[in-house]
Every structure is written in C-alpha cells, then in structure tokens.
Amino acid sequence: DTAVSQTPKYLVTQMGNDKSIKCEQNLGHDTMYWYKQDSKKFLKIMFSYNNKELIINETVPNRFSPKSPDKAHLNLHINSLELGDSAVYFCASSLPYGSYNEQFFGPGTRLTVL
Amino acid sequence: GENVEQHPSTLSVQEGDSAVIKCTYSDSASNYFPWYKQELGKRPQLIIDIRSNVGEKKDQRIAVTLNKTAKHFSLHITETQPEDSAVYFCAAIGGGGSYIPTFGRGTSLIVHP
C-alpha cells in the first residue's frame, strides 16, 4: 500500500501557467508538509499543516497556495509559474506536530517550467 | 532560527571502506537528529535517528554519534557497499520550540565497486 502519494509524477508546463500538485497520505497522520528540492538537492520546507491548519509558512512567494481539504490531503497550487519554480516538490507527513517524529515522504513531483 | 551545516558535500570511497558525514547545528535547544537517505530519483527515507539524551546509536553497519556540548553529530557507515551510494541528509529538530526539521544541504556518497 502506498503511504504518501503524489500526482502527477512529472509536470511540464509553460511560464505563466497555473498548475496543481495533489498529495494524499493513508497513514492517519495529522501533520503534512510541502518541500522544494532544487537542482543542488537542497530540501527546503515550504508549508506545514497540522489537522488542516497552517502551522508554518516559510518565505515562499504568494503564488504558492496550499490547500488541505481534510487531514489526509494537502494540495499545492502554483499561479503564474516562473522558470525558477522548476524543481522536485515533495509532500510528507508525520505524527502530530509537537513531537519528534519521522517524516514520510511522497515520491516527488518533478516540475519543469519552460 | 536553527542552522545546520553538513560536510562534506561529496564523499567518494571504495567498497568496504568506512564513510563519515558530519553535521553541526546552531541551536542548543535542538534535541532530535534524524538522518535521511535519498537514492537517485527516489524519496528521502529515514535510516537512523538519535535523541539528545543518547550519545551514540547503532543499527548494523550504520551508527550515529552526538556531541551536545560541541553541537555536532555524525553518521558512520562501515563496510560500505555500492547500494549505499545516495545523498544523505542530516536534520536538527526542536530548536526555538519548533518541531519542523532543519535539513543540512546533503552529502552525495559514491561507493566504487
């Protein structure tokens, strides 16, 4: 069974377009995250949600908007895509915020902006 | 906020050798230190972690040591094998009351057969 899944796996699009990436976890976790991994492999946290509530929003352009319809889903919508948005985006989940827990990552979505 | 430095950025070893990756952190309040392995094209996965009340933890060929006074921790892999080739990330959690991990920039380990 897939623990954390993301769709799509690959996304190629033109500058200026709007796109969404979906994430679902079936682990029963309360906390979900979005990370951006650039070409140099650096893992940068973007957002964290606990029980559908935003608990952290790092310095991310407001073109990026996360949406959590329920505890098992955290989607990422990106408006007006730019070349610099090209990266691999990982969704992750963990046990409740407020404890030290393993992060379970999704398979990643490779976004290429042309 | 927390700052995690990781060295080296690239490490090349022969099969059977040992590999050591070092990380330092800035916030003395951090008290949980996981290590993640990311194979090429795959997701990061936890391989070992250590909490601040422990100085060393071992799991088969991998071990992690923690020096809270000096604020550094290290990953040790013995008898390396080609399948150990991957990018390894350290992280520190707990600084400033946050439970969000601060990751190091990663070490690309290459094990030559």
Side-chain angles (χ1 to χ4, degrees):
Chain A
D1 280 353
T2 303
V4 183
S5 59
Q6 292 178 230
T7 54
K9 190 166 173 62
Y10 299 97
L11 189 50
V12 181
T13 188
Q14 300 285 334
M15 275 175 54
N17 284 350
D18 302 339
K19 290 292 177 187
S20 292
I21 306 172
K22 295 187 176 182
C23 177
E24 177 180 2
Q25 54 94 5
N26 62 6
L27 296 167
H29 289 163
D30 286 332
T31 309
M32 297 184 72
Y33 312 80
W34 276 108
Y35 287 88
K36 178 181 180 181
Q37 186 171 47
D38 60 25
S39 57
K40 294 184 179 178
K41 301 295 184 184
F42 182 47
L43 268 172
K44 178 178 163 49
I45 191 161
M46 302 173 69
F47 302 101
S48 178
Y49 269 72
N50 187 59
N51 222 355
K52 300 198 304 172
E53 298 291 328
L54 181 67
I55 55 170
I56 187 168
N57 178 358
E58 292 293 318
T59 308
V60 175
N62 58 14
R63 300 182 294 104
F64 291 80
S65 53
K67 283 195 171 47
S68 182
D70 55 56
K71 273 180 21 174
H73 295 85
L74 181 62
N75 304 323
L76 184 65
H77 189 75
I78 315 169
N79 288 329
S80 303
L81 278 155
E82 300 178 357
L83 291 176
D85 298 333
S86 295
V88 179
Y89 292 84
F90 286 99
C91 175
S93 74
S94 72
L95 287 169
Y97 187 77
S99 55
Y100 303 116
N101 294 297
E102 175 181 358
Q103 305 248 320
F104 290 82
F105 286 86
T109 295
R110 183 174 293 277
L111 171 65
T112 303
V113 182
L114 304 174
Chain B
E2 176 65 277
N3 183 47
V4 176
E5 300 281 341
Q6 183 172 347
H7 298 282
S9 56
T10 306
L11 180 57
S12 184
V13 300
Q14 289 295 128
E15 183 177 0
D17 287 350
S18 294
V20 180
I21 303 170
K22 299 181 179 182
C23 289
T24 60
Y25 60 98
S26 60
D27 194 329
S28 56
S30 289
N31 52 14
Y32 174 56
F33 307 92
W35 286 88
Y36 288 81
K37 175 184 180 182
Q38 185 179 23
E39 296 177 0
L40 188 63
K42 302 284 181 66
R43 71 192 79 191
Q45 291 188 285
L46 181 77
I47 54 170
I48 196 168
D49 56 14
I50 191 166
R51 298 179 192 271
S52 61
N53 57 348
V54 175
E56 182 173 358
K57 184 175 177 181
K58 194 171 181 181
D59 182 4
Q60 299 182 352
R61 294 187 298 107
I62 59 172
V64 57
T65 58
L66 171 64
N67 183 328
K68 283 220 76 178
T69 305
K71 289 190 282 189
H72 67 71
F73 56 111
S74 301
L75 178 71
H76 304 253
I77 306 174
T78 57
E79 299 171 31
T80 53
Q81 300 167 6
E83 51 265 39
D84 294 329
S85 296
V87 178
Y88 291 81
F89 293 94
C90 64
I93 302 171
S98 171
Y99 296 91
I100 303 295
T102 300
F103 283 92
R105 298 192 73 90
T107 296
S108 179
L109 174 65
I110 303 164
V111 181
H112 299 280

